[in-house]
Amino acid sequence: MPVITLHGRPIEYRLLRTRRNRFVRLTVTLGKGLRVSTPSQYPMKDVPRIIHERASWILEKLDEFARIERQTPRQRYCNGAEVVILGRVYRLRPIPASNGGTMVRVQGDEVEVLYPASLSGEDRQDFLRNALLSWYRVQAQRLLPPRVDYYAAQMRLHPQRVTIRRQRSRWGSCSAKGNLNLNLFLIMLPVKTIDYVIVHELAHLIELNHSDRFWRVVDRYCPDRKKHQSFLRKSIHYLEI
Ligand SMILES: [Zn+2]
């Protein structure tokens, strides 16, 4: 990989040249670092200048992702890995079973997952990961809608549709049509923090922005939102399951 020095730091990057590109694009992504894609005819000698122009932004992004990676115990789906639900940390206990069938259950401070004894290595990891994902999905479907109903009634609001799904970069959203999207992985957060996200998205039915008026609505139903906001920022790696 080519290397460039930005503010005294050597930074590796990947260079991608494709005919489809019309412009030079710089992207920094979690786990993959800096990527520069250029049109195929673009003069190579101009690439460093383009990177230097955005040096501060690039370094800021790289540092932010490095911080997240340090905080994330790589989910390995092995014995003893962390499984978080409603803010409580459990330990994963994979149990080989000869008769197929998936089962996930909480036993004390462990989450037991049965897996086919014939699986090993990557296949076993994939199986455990998928089993946990569907378990999270079931828990989210069971626990999130009643909380939305509760706060919608309190706030006298009527969301059109509430969808629970995986989202890579946000905990929830609200569309101009009044549809609420909640991230499946909200289920990993403490209940009070989940409630904050729900109140936040519901409040967007009144104000589709983050104006003072919007925050006054949120504060009325969720007085310690600052605490929850900082917890959410620290928990963004939950979305990388
Ligand atoms: Zn918002």
Side-chain angles (χ1 to χ4, degrees), residues 83-96:
V83 179
V84 187
I85 188 153
L86 297 181
R88 246 195 91 177
V89 179
Y90 296 85
R91 296 287 154 193
L92 175 64
R93 190 166 153 75
I95 303 176

Side-chain angles (χ1 to χ4, degrees), residues 6-215:
L6 299 179
H7 299 184
R9 288 167 53 181
I11 303 293
E12 282 193 327
Y13 63 97
R14 285 178 305 141
L15 189 60
L16 211 84
R17 297 163 71 81
T18 52
R19 205 169 306 143
R20 279 196 325 253
N21 282 338
R22 293 180 51 214
F23 308 101
V24 177
R25 275 185 56 196
L26 303 185
T27 45
V28 180
T29 40
L30 184 63
K32 292 191 178 145
L34 173 62
R35 190 180 80 170
V36 182
S37 51
T38 72
S40 50
Q41 302 302 323
Y42 193 81
M44 291 294 280
K45 64 171 177 42
D46 290 350
V47 169
R49 183 181 51 83
I50 298 264
I51 299 178
H52 276 291
E53 275 171 10
R54 314 245 353 242
S56 303
W57 174 81
I58 291 167
L59 293 174
E60 204 173 287
K61 279 281 166 202
L62 286 171
D63 289 347
E64 181 188 332
F65 289 141
R67 221 167 24 243
I68 291 174
E69 292 208 314
R70 272 199 304 278
Q71 287 165 358
T72 313
R74 276 265 162 256
Q75 283 278 9
R76 302 302 314 227
Y77 308 101
C78 56
N79 200 11
E82 273 188 12
V83 179
V84 187
I85 188 153
L86 297 181
R88 246 195 91 177
V89 179
Y90 296 85
R91 296 287 154 193
L92 175 64
R93 190 166 153 75
I95 303 176
S98 48
N99 53 354
T102 316
M103 197 193 67
V104 180
R105 71 169 177 194
V106 177
Q107 282 284 75
D109 54 5
E110 292 182 329
V111 172
E112 298 181 344
V113 184
L114 292 190
Y115 68 93
S118 57
L119 295 180
S120 61
E122 291 269 304
D123 293 339
R124 178 171 172 271
Q125 292 231 355
D126 284 350
F127 183 93
L128 292 170
R129 181 172 172 278
N130 288 330
L132 276 176
L133 264 175
S134 12
W135 182 69
Y136 275 126
R137 196 162 278 131
V138 171
Q139 304 302 321
Q141 288 293 352
R142 189 166 65 87
L143 294 162
L144 299 180
R147 304 210 74 77
V148 175
D149 292 347
Y150 172 81
Y151 281 102
Q154 293 276 311
M155 298 165 80
R156 297 204 187 88
L157 293 167
H158 304 278
Q160 288 294 320
R161 189 155 40 89
V162 180
T163 312
I164 297 167
R165 63 190 171 91
R166 271 186 88 168
Q167 284 172 293
R168 280 261 149 185
S169 56
R170 56 214 297 196
W171 292 106
S173 60
C174 177
S175 77
K177 288 188 183 138
N179 296 323
L180 254 59
N181 280 309
L182 296 178
N183 197 312
L184 164 64
F185 296 127
L186 278 174
I187 203 66
M188 297 169 109
L189 304 171
V191 172
K192 290 280 170 213
T193 309
I194 298 176
D195 287 353
Y196 159 68
V197 175
I198 290 172
V199 167
H200 180 123
E201 298 312 334
L202 284 169
H204 278 314
L205 295 173
I206 305 171
E207 290 281 314
L208 208 58
N209 52 45
H210 293 121
S211 58
D212 290 348
R213 207 175 103 92
F214 168 84
W215 290 117

